[in-house]
Amino acid sequence: MEDTAPLRQAVLAWLEQARDLPPIPQAITDAELSTRPEFDAVANAVVGAAPKSEHRDLYGKADGDWAPRWSTLLGGSGLGDATRLVA
């Protein structure tokens, strides 16, 4: 089993940064959230905690490389909604 502590820390840091979102966070789409610099830490932590070989559903091809899908991480998991709620 992979170490999930870095993922937990990345998600908590992600939710902490939600306080800096614009005044109407409900207007921010998951696509826009995925472009925030802090999202890279979440995606990188997912790679460490959920390798593609075991969780192919989380990954898609991006620029020729396999990477976690932002749509799954933010939309499918509910992280995008949680981010907007914290904001």
Side-chain angles (χ1 to χ4, degrees):
M1 181 167 186
E2 301 296 321
D3 181 16
T4 58
L7 177 57
R8 182 178 187 276
Q9 289 179 321
V11 169
L12 290 175
W14 169 261
L15 292 174
E16 183 68 28
Q17 66 81 33
R19 296 178 184 175
D20 298 331
L21 289 174
I24 305 174
Q26 293 77 14
I28 300 171
T29 66
D30 287 347
E32 291 170 308
L33 287 174
S34 73
T35 64
R36 295 184 62 85
E38 299 89 349
F39 187 70
D40 289 340
V42 173
N44 290 335
V46 166
V47 171
K52 181 178 74 79
S53 60
E54 297 175 25
H55 301 277
R56 189 172 166 93
D57 57 320
L58 295 176
Y59 292 83
K61 281 253 182 167
D63 298 324
D65 292 324
W66 288 97
R69 286 188 204 127
W70 63 262
S71 58
T72 302
L73 298 183
L74 292 169
S77 73
L79 183 58
D81 290 337
T83 303
R84 286 182 281 277
L85 286 173
V86 169

